[in-house]
Amino acid sequence: MTARARPLTGTPSPAPEPSYAMAALILGCLFVGSSSALIKLSGATAGTAAFLRCALALVVFAPLLAVEWRRFGLPPRRMLVLSAGGGVFLGADYLMWTQSIVDIGAGIATVLIGVQVVVFPFLAWLFQKEPVPTRFLVVLPLMFVGLALTGGVVDADAAASNPVRGALLGVAAGVCYAAFLFLNRPASALDRRMLFTPVGTTTCVAALGIGAVAGLGDVAGGIDLALSARAWVLLTMVAVLGQAVSFVLIGYGLVRLPAGRAAAVMLLQPLGAVALGMVALHERPTPAQWAGIVITVVAVALATVTRRRPRRRGR
């Protein structure tokens, strides 16, 4: 068995080949952004889509995990514990976010979940005592205004079935997604050679949790596997591209790029989802919602993107 590398600690540092990391992050974000439209096009219930997204992805992860463990040895116990904890939050995120897509639309639901990039630093402050930059506190009211407008507090898309519930679930899903990232990031940093183990473990726990809540508890429309061939194809695409491939690519990029650059790229998720929702689903946000989308994206950018100061020569 190959000896295990020493756990890596501290802030992730850029890789020697940052262009690969940037390309991986961009591609992963585009795949995640497209999954909301594919879910709505499938016509499946929220519980069904959330469950199959994780369950079908395990078919991809199983052989990859076997190869990875054979090559690098069994993963650290702490990696599995952190990833499993992240899976609980990811399962809750998927259930609420998928129902939000049904209630308010694919594009707007993905914009609302973008609150995770603001929630994450507060989790770090609360549990790791990391200081919260002043700009987060300054931008927070702007973020709330943007989310309220996007959620339809002034006027909502007439085609939305339940805009109020969809907005609340979208924001709550963003909080759960932030908790998932908060736990999964240190899990991935324990051994960066293991690209599939953290995401695979998280996906497995999420599938079990969604199956218990939606399948046994009949929440979010329950789980109905009597789907059309078209729905199976679309949800398989979500599982492979929007779950397995995308989160491996995102995880690869996040630990190899500066946080500011990575946060800027993550904004591609809601922007891509809105654009695809308009093209594929004919979703038409109202003027107030467009204003909310712009305010939300700007607020997230102001809160997360930093300008790198050029190094002085001679240092």
Side-chain angles (χ1 to χ4, degrees):
M1 183 178 293
T2 307
R4 186 184 304 156
R6 292 188 305 168
L8 299 174
T9 58
T11 303
S13 57
E17 59 284 343
S19 60
Y20 294 154
M22 178 62 74
L25 187 58
I26 291 174
L27 194 58
C29 288
L30 292 176
F31 283 154
V32 171
S34 66
S35 63
S36 57
L38 296 177
I39 288 172
K40 193 165 185 179
L41 284 171
S42 72
T45 65
T48 302
F51 174 73
L52 290 180
R53 175 177 189 163
C54 296
L56 293 176
L58 292 177
V59 178
V60 178
F61 279 122
L64 295 175
L65 292 179
V67 172
E68 193 167 74
W69 292 4
R70 185 180 306 166
R71 183 177 180 186
F72 301 121
L74 295 178
R77 181 179 179 183
R78 179 171 172 79
M79 176 185 287
L80 296 178
V81 171
L82 289 172
S83 298
V88 174
F89 287 104
L90 188 64
D93 161 37
Y94 281 165
L95 276 174
M96 292 186 288
W97 180 56
T98 306
Q99 185 62 52
S100 178
I101 293 171
V102 175
D103 287 346
I104 203 170
I108 293 177
T110 309
V111 172
L112 292 173
I113 203 175
V115 70
Q116 53 89 11
V117 297
V118 176
V119 174
F120 181 83
F122 283 101
L123 292 177
W125 167 77
L126 183 63
F127 294 102
Q128 297 178 340
K129 306 305 179 184
E130 294 185 14
V132 178
T134 304
R135 58 196 172 93
F136 277 96
L137 301 177
V138 173
V139 170
L140 196 58
L142 185 63
M143 168 66 73
F144 286 142
V145 171
L147 291 174
L149 291 174
T150 303
V153 69
V154 175
D155 59 343
D157 184 358
S161 61
N162 197 329
V164 175
R165 184 179 68 180
L168 293 176
L169 288 176
V171 174
V175 174
C176 289
Y177 188 63
F180 151 68
L181 292 176
F182 177 76
L183 293 173
N184 205 57
R185 188 176 175 89
S188 300
L190 286 171
D191 191 338
R192 293 185 189 177
R193 300 172 305 171
M194 292 190 166
L195 297 177
F196 308 112
T197 297
V199 181
T201 304
T202 295
T203 301
C204 180
V205 173
L208 292 174
I210 294 170
V213 174
L216 301 179
D218 197 28
V219 174
I223 296 177
D224 180 12
L225 301 182
L227 303 172
S228 65
R230 178 172 179 268
W232 276 107
V233 170
L234 291 171
L235 293 178
T236 299
M237 291 174 61
V238 172
V240 175
L241 298 178
Q243 179 65 26
V245 176
S246 63
F247 278 99
V248 170
L249 292 173
I250 289 174
Y252 179 87
L254 282 178
V255 297
R256 290 169 172 81
L257 289 170
R261 294 177 66 191
V265 176
M266 295 291 282
L267 295 177
L268 290 174
Q269 290 187 31
L271 295 177
V274 170
L276 189 59
M278 293 180 63
V279 173
L281 302 172
H282 306 291
E283 295 178 351
R284 295 293 181 267
T286 65
Q289 287 178 313
W290 270 120
I293 290 171
V294 173
I295 292 173
T296 300
V297 172
V298 170
V300 170
L302 292 174
T304 58
V305 180
T306 58
R307 181 181 299 177
R308 297 184 64 184
R309 296 181 179 179
R311 295 181 180 179
R312 296 181 180 179
R313 294 182 179 180
R315 290 190 178 184

Coordinates of all heavy atoms in Angstrom, one line a residue, residues 20 23 27-28 30 60 62 71 79 97 133 149 151 153 167 193 195 199 229 268 278-279 289 307:
Y20 N -4.7 25.7 -15.6 CA -5.5 24.5 -15.5 C -6.6 24.6 -14.4 O -7.7 24.2 -14.6 CB -4.6 23.3 -15.2 CG -3.7 23.0 -16.4 CD1 -2.5 22.3 -16.1 CD2 -3.9 23.4 -17.7 CE1 -1.6 22.0 -17.1 CE2 -3.0 23.1 -18.7 CZ -1.9 22.4 -18.4 OH -1.0 22.1 -19.4
A23 N -9.4 27.0 -15.6 CA -10.2 26.4 -16.6 C -11.1 25.3 -15.9 O -12.3 25.2 -16.3 CB -9.3 25.7 -17.6
L27 N -15.3 25.6 -16.0 CA -16.1 24.6 -16.5 C -17.0 24.0 -15.5 O -18.2 23.7 -15.8 CB -15.2 23.5 -17.1 CG -15.8 22.4 -18.0 CD1 -16.5 23.1 -19.2 CD2 -14.8 21.4 -18.5
G28 N -16.5 23.8 -14.3 CA -17.3 23.2 -13.2 C -18.5 24.1 -12.9 O -19.7 23.7 -12.7
L30 N -20.0 26.3 -14.9 CA -20.9 26.3 -16.0 C -21.8 25.0 -16.0 O -23.0 25.1 -16.2 CB -20.2 26.4 -17.3 CG -19.5 27.7 -17.6 CD1 -18.7 27.6 -18.9 CD2 -20.5 28.8 -17.7
V60 N -20.8 6.8 -11.1 CA -19.5 7.3 -11.6 C -18.4 7.3 -10.5 O -17.3 6.9 -10.8 CB -19.7 8.8 -12.1 CG1 -18.4 9.4 -12.6 CG2 -20.8 8.8 -13.2
A62 N -18.1 5.3 -7.8 CA -17.7 4.0 -7.2 C -16.3 3.5 -7.8 O -15.4 3.2 -7.0 CB -18.8 3.0 -7.4
R71 N -4.6 3.3 -5.0 CA -3.3 4.0 -5.4 C -2.7 4.7 -4.2 O -1.5 4.7 -4.0 CB -3.6 5.0 -6.5 CG -2.4 5.7 -7.0 CD -2.7 6.7 -8.1 NE -1.6 7.4 -8.6 CZ -1.6 8.3 -9.5 NH1 -2.7 8.7 -10.1 NH2 -0.5 8.9 -9.9
M79 N -11.1 13.1 7.1 CA -11.6 13.5 5.8 C -13.0 12.9 5.6 O -13.9 13.6 5.1 CB -10.7 13.0 4.7 CG -11.2 13.2 3.2 SD -10.2 12.4 2.0 CE -8.8 13.6 2.0
W97 N -33.3 23.6 -2.8 CA -33.0 24.3 -4.0 C -33.8 23.8 -5.2 O -34.3 24.5 -6.0 CB -31.5 24.2 -4.3 CG -31.1 24.9 -5.6 CD1 -31.2 26.2 -5.9 CD2 -30.4 24.3 -6.7 NE1 -30.7 26.5 -7.2 CE2 -30.2 25.3 -7.7 CE3 -29.9 23.0 -7.0 CZ2 -29.6 25.1 -8.9 CZ3 -29.3 22.8 -8.2 CH2 -29.1 23.8 -9.2
P133 N -14.1 40.7 7.3 CA -13.7 42.0 6.7 C -14.9 43.0 6.8 O -16.1 42.6 6.7 CB -13.4 41.7 5.2 CG -13.1 40.2 5.2 CD -13.9 39.6 6.3
L149 N -35.6 41.6 -3.8 CA -36.1 41.9 -5.2 C -36.1 40.7 -6.1 O -37.1 40.5 -6.9 CB -35.3 43.1 -5.8 CG -35.4 44.4 -5.1 CD1 -34.5 45.4 -5.8 CD2 -36.9 45.0 -5.3
G151 N -36.3 37.6 -5.3 CA -37.4 36.7 -4.8 C -38.8 37.1 -5.1 O -39.7 36.4 -4.9
V153 N -40.4 40.2 -4.1 CA -41.1 40.9 -3.0 C -41.9 42.1 -3.6 O -42.9 42.5 -3.0 CB -40.1 41.4 -1.9 CG1 -39.2 42.5 -2.4 CG2 -40.9 41.8 -0.7
A167 N -38.5 31.7 -3.0 CA -37.4 32.6 -2.5 C -36.8 32.2 -1.2 O -35.6 32.2 -1.0 CB -38.0 34.0 -2.5
R193 N -4.2 14.8 -3.2 CA -4.1 13.8 -4.3 C -5.5 13.1 -4.4 O -5.8 12.6 -5.5 CB -3.1 12.7 -3.9 CG -1.7 13.2 -3.7 CD -0.8 12.1 -3.2 NE -1.3 11.5 -1.9 CZ -0.8 10.4 -1.4 NH1 0.2 9.8 -1.9 NH2 -1.4 10.0 -0.2
L195 N -8.9 13.4 -5.2 CA -9.8 14.3 -5.9 C -11.3 13.8 -5.7 O -12.2 14.6 -5.7 CB -9.5 14.5 -7.3 CG -8.1 15.1 -7.7 CD1 -7.9 15.2 -9.2 CD2 -8.0 16.5 -7.1
V199 N -15.7 14.4 -2.4 CA -17.0 14.6 -3.1 C -17.8 13.3 -3.2 O -19.0 13.4 -3.1 CB -16.7 15.2 -4.6 CG1 -18.1 15.4 -5.3 CG2 -15.9 16.4 -4.5
A229 N -38.4 8.4 -20.6 CA -37.0 8.3 -21.1 C -36.3 9.6 -21.2 O -35.1 9.7 -20.8 CB -37.0 7.6 -22.5
L268 N -20.3 32.9 -12.2 CA -20.7 32.3 -13.5 C -21.9 31.4 -13.2 O -22.7 31.2 -14.2 CB -19.6 31.6 -14.2 CG -18.5 32.4 -14.7 CD1 -17.4 31.5 -15.3 CD2 -19.0 33.3 -15.8
M278 N -33.6 31.6 -19.6 CA -34.4 32.4 -20.6 C -34.4 31.7 -22.0 O -35.4 31.7 -22.7 CB -33.7 33.8 -20.8 CG -33.8 34.6 -19.5 SD -32.9 36.2 -19.7 CE -33.9 36.9 -21.1
V279 N -33.3 31.0 -22.4 CA -33.3 30.4 -23.7 C -34.0 29.1 -23.7 O -34.9 28.9 -24.6 CB -31.8 30.1 -24.1 CG1 -31.7 29.4 -25.4 CG2 -31.0 31.5 -24.2
Q289 N -37.1 42.1 -10.6 CA -36.2 40.9 -10.4 C -34.9 41.1 -11.1 O -33.9 40.6 -10.6 CB -36.9 39.6 -10.9 CG -38.1 39.2 -9.9 CD -38.8 38.0 -10.4 OE1 -39.2 37.9 -11.6 NE2 -39.0 37.0 -9.5
R307 N -8.7 42.9 -5.1 CA -7.7 43.2 -6.1 C -6.3 42.8 -5.5 O -6.0 43.2 -4.4 CB -7.7 44.7 -6.4 CG -6.7 45.1 -7.5 CD -6.8 46.5 -7.8 NE -8.1 46.9 -8.3 CZ -8.4 48.2 -8.5 NH1 -7.6 49.2 -8.3 NH2 -9.6 48.5 -9.0

